[in-house]
Each structure stands twice: as C-alpha cells, then as structure tokens.
Amino acid sequence: MSKDAPVEEQGHKGPPGVSPLDAPIETGAEGAAVSTAEARTLNTNAFTARGNEPFWSVDASGKTAIYKTPSNQKGRAVRVERLTFAEGVEYIGVLDGSPFVLTIRGRDCTDDMSGQKFPMTAELKVGGRRNQGCAGPASPEVAQAVAAIKAPAPAAPKPAAVAKPKPAKARPAPAPVADKPEPAADTTPAPQPTPAADSAETEVDLPEIRTVTPDSPTPSAPAEAPTTTPAETPAETAAPAASLPAPALTLPATPPSVDDAEDAAASE
C-alpha cells in the first residue's frame, strides 16, 4: 500500500457512549440538531402562573413578567430573559437587587386549594424564597398586554467596595534623652546659732527652800554687849579726882536668841 493512497475514515462502531438526550449521536452523515426540550412548554409563548400561601401570580410574555401579590394588585413589571431547558422554560430577571426566576415544567399540576387542574407546574424564586404553584398558557389578551409593557432594565450591580489599605501609622520618633538637671543650690539660710543667754540674766526656777525652826532655840551669834568705856585712869602722878563708883555689869544667864534681838530692835 503506497503512502499516497487516501486513508478511509471509519465511523463510530458499537453503542453510543452518551445518552441521545444529552448529546446527538454521531453518524457518518451530516450532523443535525435534535430538540430535547419539552414540547408543551417549548410551543407556548406566554404563561400565567400562580401559587397559594403566600398568594402570588405571574404573567410572563416576551421579555416582561408582571409580578402580583395581595399587597400589590397592579403588579410590578420585571424585565426577564426566556431560557429553554429539557424539562421546560425559565424566565430570569432581577427584582430589588435579588434574583427573580420563574420556572415552568411540562408536568400536570392540581391547585391545592381549589382543586383546579393545570397542564404545567410553576416555581417562583423571589426575595430569597421559593414558592410552588401551577401554570398554564396565558390568554391571547393577557399575552399581548404583557408583551407591550417595557420593563426597565435592572440596575447594574454596585461594584464591591474595595477596602482601601490603611496607611501605616508613623511611629513617633524616640524623644531625645534630656540631660539630668543639676540639683538646685539650697537657698535656705543656715540656722544661726542661738547665743547662750547670759548666766546672770538666766532665770532658773528653783524650788522654794523653807527654813524650819525647831522648838528648841537655835544658837545664834550672841548680841554684842554694850561696850562700856571705863573712865580713864588718872595718871599716877595726877592727883586723884573725886572717885566715882563703877557701874555694875550684869550678864544674862541665857544668851539672847535671834527673835529676841528682832523684838528689841522693833521696840527701839
């Protein structure tokens, strides 16, 4: 076999490796898209869905969905995009910054309060809650009226706030070490020595000394006896004068005391 001869490509042999519902089967002929969507939802252009406890309803057509609640009977228009998947369709939008998703599947449904039969099920995700209900094709009038409403585009999400790096705190410079101040000179005057008081002017309190006089007389110095001047003796040669008798001197037997002397002086 020459190298220039064309090599025939061989097709896939054996059973398919994947389910035909997930991917089309490869064949030798040209590939053709195979629809795997649910037929009832795929062929419906507008839907009316509702649920109980809490009560809600949604009319979806084109790029608009009208969301109604007991507190808002007129409803709010939400801009949505329709997506098709294997089990049904979804209307996806944003309401008050939260996802708004209406999912409709081609399964039979019965209203749990009225018992009414519907050809499809509905699930509404709004405000972080998931509500179950039933759905069916919307009437031509409702579909036309909803499609004519242009819902505002959802606000662009706010960019996440990026925390700005905090500037590093400047460390304070170390304070210079101040020289220790010299101790101030003592200006308090030195205490002056108190001159000693003159011994003559110093008064010393002495206890009072009392003299106790005993009953017996205390001998004291004898009082001076009166001195009698004798008459001059005439000279032997002189002629004797008329002789005068000498006075008699009588001494007391007991010497006088101090008290007697003071009495005598007082009487004079």
Side-chain angles (χ1 to χ4, degrees):
M1 184 176 182
S2 65
K3 296 182 179 178
D4 297 336
V7 178
E8 296 181 1
E9 296 181 359
Q10 296 181 357
H12 178 77
K13 295 181 180 181
V18 296
S19 171
L21 297 177
D22 297 330
I25 299 175
E26 295 181 0
T27 62
E30 295 181 359
V34 178
S35 176
T36 58
E38 200 276 325
R40 285 181 296 180
T41 57
L42 180 63
N43 297 327
T44 304
N45 296 327
F47 298 89
T48 296
R50 67 183 186 182
N52 304 321
E53 297 179 356
F55 296 96
W56 59 272
S57 67
V58 175
D59 295 321
S61 178
K63 293 183 177 294
T64 304
I66 305 300
Y67 172 53
K68 298 179 181 179
T69 60
S71 60
N72 187 359
Q73 295 291 336
K74 292 183 179 180
R76 295 183 60 180
V78 181
R79 186 170 181 175
V80 293
E81 294 291 338
R82 175 170 170 162
L83 301 177
T84 303
F85 66 104
E87 297 181 357
V89 295
E90 280 188 338
Y91 290 89
I92 301 175
V94 177
L95 179 63
D96 295 335
S98 299
F100 178 91
V101 180
L102 176 64
T103 303
I104 299 176
R105 291 178 172 88
R107 302 172 183 172
D108 295 337
C109 180
T110 302
D111 188 286
D112 55 2
M113 294 187 68
S114 64
Q116 184 178 356
K117 301 293 184 177
F118 292 88
M120 307 166 188
T121 61
E123 182 181 74
L124 177 64
K125 301 175 184 177
V126 60
R129 299 184 58 179
R130 181 174 296 183
N131 306 314
Q132 303 296 332
C134 298
S139 63
E141 295 80 5
V142 172
Q144 186 178 359
V146 173
I149 299 174
K150 293 183 179 180
K158 296 182 180 180
V162 179
K164 296 182 179 180
K166 295 182 180 180
K169 295 183 179 179
R171 295 184 179 179
V177 180
D179 297 337
K180 295 184 179 179
E182 298 181 359
D186 189 3
T187 56
T188 305
Q192 299 294 332
T194 304
D198 190 0
S199 59
E201 296 179 0
T202 303
E203 296 181 359
V204 180
D205 294 336
L206 298 177
E208 182 180 358
I209 302 175
R210 296 182 181 181
T211 304
V212 180
T213 304
D215 295 340
S216 61
T218 303
S220 60
E224 296 181 359
T227 304
T228 303
T229 306
E232 295 180 359
T233 304
E236 294 180 357
T237 61
S243 58
L244 296 175
L249 181 60
T250 305
L251 296 176
T254 305
S257 63
V258 178
D259 295 337
D260 296 338
E262 291 178 354
D263 294 340
S267 62
E268 292 177 1

